[in-house]
């Protein structure tokens, strides 16, 4: 590779062929010869800083500035091949594929020095076999950040040499098939893992997470091949998941602070998703003592409400300050689960609730039963509340009244209904509610 850099004359043709010809006025060149070349004399650290803020396409084009800039780009540690760097104006998929392959090949051929970051993400990128070669090449170096997003076609089977990249601290994959070898013992340096639209087997997923001992951030969206989420990660701080799954279990996640979970399918009322007499709600929070922010999205509250719902959790969520819930106010057990979370969060400061009104419960009505549960519960730290998607049902208004009358330091409650139907009557009702906080204001937002 190093010998190839002797012929840097090839570089100008690379820029012309793949990133467009450079049109430089002749008078500009003449004037430049008469002036001090300040650009050439910039300190090396300034040059590196400039190049780091440019797209790869523009970084290559800096070679025309002066002879001293000609080979600067070839030592860039971060290589990003995205829509901004790969401007290809064609509808011919074969032409686009060949163009992307040629550009990446030439850049890697001329590159000198370590590659810390490699990102390949283009709107027309498909899982071509050439990606195997590039991953193999990167595995021989010390790449720290690898991002691969396949936006078209079938799942790309990730080349096995990726599992040799033991310097990786961030791995991000989109539309890939993962099959780690049996001898894979985890990424020893990985701190951030982002998997979206991926396929892998149950055991492979569990081992991937548990064997990355330094893992701090885990994002998992739209996955196939496994349905039980078993998260064993002692250093995990951030967890964001959205998809179709049957059960979730945290093990040794005592440092986890930020969690966002969306269950994208309605689990149904007659399906017991998890076993155990304690119920899903108690089980879920058993290994989350340091939780600070929680987002319960889609149908996940219904999962938490499955089985037994206690009045309070055995161990309170003392550090939880932000809670966002998507809830069906028509469903009693969901309302009880939400109330349990509120009672178990003594230091909650911000609350967001989005009503899920697309379904109607066939179980016992929540409105009458919930009133007897609104007793002996104060939210002494709650300052901001946002409620959206409501339709003015009695159980919705009762819940708002409950919050207003039990939040002595509340500063603002924002209410946004699902539609304008009955909005005026709802607003009048809201203004009649007693407020425990003298400074609390109700902000009504038109739908």
């Amino acid at each position: 590779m190093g010998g190839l850099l002797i012929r840097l004359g090839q570089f100008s043709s690379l820029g012309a062929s793949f990133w467009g010809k450079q049109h430089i006025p002749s008078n500009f060149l003449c004037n430049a010869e008469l002036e001090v070349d300040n650009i050439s004399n910039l300190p090396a650290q300034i040059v590196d800083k400039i190049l780091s803020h440019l797209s790869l396409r523009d970084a290559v084009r800096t070679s025309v500035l002066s002879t001293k800039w000609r080979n600067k780009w070839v030592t860039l540690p971060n290589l990003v091949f995205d829509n901004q760097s790969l401007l290809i104006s064609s509808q011919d998929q074969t032409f686009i594929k060949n163009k992307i392959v040629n550009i990446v090949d030439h850049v890697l051929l001329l590159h000198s020095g370590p590659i810390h970051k490699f990102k390949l993400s283009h709107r027309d990128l498909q899982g071509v076999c050439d990606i195997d070669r590039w991953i193999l090449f990167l595995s021989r170096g010390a790449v720290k950040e690898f991002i691969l997003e396949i936006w078209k076609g079938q799942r790309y089977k990730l080349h096995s040499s990726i599992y040799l990249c033991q310097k990786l601290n961030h791995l991000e994959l989109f539309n890939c098939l993962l099959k780690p070898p049996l001898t894979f013992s985890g990424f020893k340096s990985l701190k951030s893992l982002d998997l979206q639209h991926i396929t892998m087997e149950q055991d492979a997923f569990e081992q991937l997470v548990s064997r990355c001992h330094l893992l701090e951030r885990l994002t998992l969206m739209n996955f196939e091949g496994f349905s039980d989420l078993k998260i064993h990660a002692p250093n995990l701080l951030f967890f964001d998941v959205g998809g179709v799954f049957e059960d979730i279990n945290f093990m040794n996640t005592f440092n986890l602070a930020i969690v966002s979970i969306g269950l994208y399918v309605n689990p149904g009322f007659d399906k017991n998703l998890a076993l155990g007499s304690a119920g899903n709600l108690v089980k879920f929070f058993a290994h989350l003592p340091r939780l600070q922010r929680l987002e319960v999205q889609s149908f996940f509250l219904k999962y938490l409400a499955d089985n037994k719902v206690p009045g309070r959790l055995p161990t309170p969520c003392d550090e939880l300050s932000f809670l966002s819930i998507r809830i069906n106010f028509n469903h009693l057990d969901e309302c009880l689960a939400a109330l349990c979370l509120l009672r178990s969060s003594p230091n909650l400061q911000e609350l967001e609730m989005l009503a899920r009104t697309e379904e109607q419960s066939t179980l016992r009505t929540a409105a009458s039963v919930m009133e007897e549960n609104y007793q002996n519960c104060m939210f002494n730290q709650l300052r901001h509340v946002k409620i959206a998607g409501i339709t003015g049902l009695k159980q919705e208004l009762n819940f708002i009244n409950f919050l207003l009358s039990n939040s002595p330091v509340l500063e603002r409650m924002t209410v946004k209904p699902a539609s304008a139907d009955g909005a005026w009557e709802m607003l009048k009702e809201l203004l009649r509610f007693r407020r425990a906080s003298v400074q609390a204001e109700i902000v009504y937002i038109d739908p």
Side-chain angles (χ1 to χ4, degrees):
M1 289 287 293
L4 292 174
L5 298 179
I6 297 176
R7 300 193 178 191
L8 284 174
Q10 298 175 14
F11 171 77
S12 59
S13 64
L14 173 67
S17 299
F18 295 115
W19 275 286
K21 296 181 178 180
Q22 311 298 310
H23 301 285
I24 306 174
S26 59
N27 61 334
F28 173 83
L29 296 175
C30 294
N31 292 335
E33 294 175 357
L34 299 176
E35 298 177 358
V36 178
D37 190 354
N38 293 325
I39 294 179
S40 296
N41 295 326
L42 286 174
Q45 62 270 25
I46 300 298
V47 174
D48 293 339
K49 190 70 173 179
I50 293 173
L51 290 175
S52 69
H53 285 82
L54 298 177
S55 68
L56 184 58
R57 169 189 171 93
D58 291 334
V60 170
R61 286 181 164 184
T62 60
S63 62
V64 303
L65 295 177
S66 72
T67 55
K68 291 187 177 181
W69 280 70
R70 181 169 296 175
N71 64 342
K72 292 293 185 181
W73 76 272
V74 299
T75 60
L76 281 174
N78 300 331
L79 301 181
V80 177
F81 302 93
D82 56 9
N83 295 329
Q84 186 178 2
S85 295
L86 304 174
L87 298 178
I88 305 173
S89 56
S90 175
Q91 300 298 321
D92 188 336
Q93 292 300 313
T94 301
F95 175 82
I96 294 173
K97 176 256 184 184
N98 292 335
K99 192 77 170 179
I100 293 176
V101 170
N102 288 338
I103 291 176
V104 177
D105 277 344
H106 276 76
V107 169
L108 294 179
L109 184 67
L110 294 179
H111 192 272
S112 176
I115 298 176
H116 294 157
K117 176 181 179 179
F118 183 90
K119 178 178 180 179
L120 182 59
S121 175
H122 189 273
R123 58 179 172 268
D124 293 311
L125 180 65
Q126 300 188 43
V128 295
C129 60
D130 301 272
I131 300 176
D132 295 351
R133 295 189 291 104
W134 302 332
I135 295 178
L136 180 61
F137 172 79
L138 293 171
S139 69
R140 296 167 180 165
V143 62
K144 297 179 180 179
E145 185 174 347
F146 181 81
I147 302 171
L148 177 61
E149 297 177 329
I150 308 296
W151 292 104
K152 286 189 174 182
Q154 298 178 345
R155 296 273 201 267
Y156 160 72
K157 183 179 179 181
L158 196 63
H159 194 264
S160 59
S161 58
I162 190 67
Y163 303 106
L164 301 175
C165 300
Q166 288 300 310
K167 297 293 184 180
L168 276 178
N169 57 45
H170 177 74
L171 177 61
E172 190 171 334
L173 302 172
F174 186 95
N175 195 22
C176 293
L177 170 64
L178 286 73
K179 287 191 175 182
L182 296 177
T183 56
F184 178 62
S185 59
F187 294 107
K188 305 306 181 185
S189 303
L190 194 69
K191 291 187 176 183
S192 176
L193 179 61
D194 189 323
L195 304 176
Q196 300 191 40
H197 293 271
I198 59 99
T199 299
M200 63 188 308
E201 296 179 354
Q202 180 74 48
D203 291 343
F205 168 74
E206 293 178 19
Q207 293 172 4
L208 175 63
V209 175
S210 63
R211 292 177 180 178
C212 297
H213 303 299
L214 299 182
L215 191 64
E216 296 179 354
R217 297 179 62 89
L218 175 59
T219 299
L220 187 63
M221 295 289 170
N222 298 303
F223 41 89
E224 297 177 352
F226 57 97
S227 58
D228 291 336
L229 302 182
K230 296 181 180 179
I231 310 300
H232 184 281
N235 289 299
L236 197 63
L237 302 174
F238 173 94
F239 181 50
D240 185 9
V241 60
V244 178
F245 55 90
E246 293 183 359
D247 199 10
I248 182 167
N249 287 279
F250 292 104
M251 295 169 285
N252 194 17
T253 53
F254 299 112
N255 292 310
L256 193 51
I258 301 175
V259 174
S260 176
I261 301 185
L263 176 59
Y264 294 166
V265 62
N266 187 341
F269 300 116
D270 58 348
K271 185 175 182 181
N272 187 3
L273 294 177
L275 300 177
S277 58
N280 290 349
L281 196 59
V282 173
K283 182 192 68 172
F284 178 80
F285 285 94
H287 289 258
L288 301 176
R290 304 192 64 180
L291 193 61
Q292 299 174 13
R293 293 178 61 91
L294 174 62
E295 295 182 13
V296 178
Q297 302 182 20
S298 303
F299 293 97
F300 190 65
L301 185 62
K302 183 175 291 187
Y303 164 88
L304 292 177
D306 186 65
N307 231 323
K308 294 181 179 180
V309 178
R312 280 184 171 85
L313 294 174
T315 302
C317 302
D318 289 330
E319 298 188 29
L320 188 65
S321 61
F322 175 87
L323 177 61
S324 178
I325 302 176
R326 180 150 189 173
I327 181 174
N328 176 13
F329 283 102
N330 290 324
H331 191 268
L332 174 62
D333 289 334
E334 287 195 40
C335 293
L336 291 175
L339 186 57
C340 174
L341 291 180
L342 292 174
R343 285 174 173 160
S344 304
S345 307
N347 296 306
L348 189 67
Q349 297 181 21
E350 294 184 60
L351 173 65
E352 292 183 356
M353 304 189 77
L354 176 61
R356 197 175 69 246
T357 57
E358 69 275 8
E359 56 177 308
Q360 295 296 323
S361 173
T362 58
L363 302 182
R364 47 183 176 159
T365 304
S368 58
V369 182
M370 283 300 295
E371 292 182 6
E372 62 190 50
N373 288 279
Y374 295 151
Q375 304 295 330
N376 302 321
C377 186
M378 296 294 292
F379 310 114
N380 293 318
Q381 301 296 327
L382 190 61
R383 286 172 168 77
H384 300 282
V385 176
K386 294 181 181 178
I387 299 180
I390 60 175
T391 58
L393 296 176
K394 182 179 180 181
Q395 50 267 38
E396 296 171 341
L397 297 177
N398 285 350
F399 206 99
I400 292 175
N401 186 22
F402 164 64
L403 291 174
L404 286 172
S405 58
N406 290 276
S407 304
V409 297
L410 186 68
E411 298 174 5
R412 172 177 293 192
M413 174 180 284
T414 303
V415 178
K416 183 178 181 179
S419 68
D421 296 338
W424 177 242
E425 294 300 323
M426 184 191 306
L427 179 58
K428 289 192 297 182
E429 190 73 18
L430 292 175
L431 294 177
R432 283 197 292 264
F433 290 155
R434 185 182 68 84
R435 308 174 199 181
S437 172
V438 294
Q439 59 181 353
E441 63 173 343
I442 298 178
V443 179
Y444 180 87
I445 300 178
D446 291 328

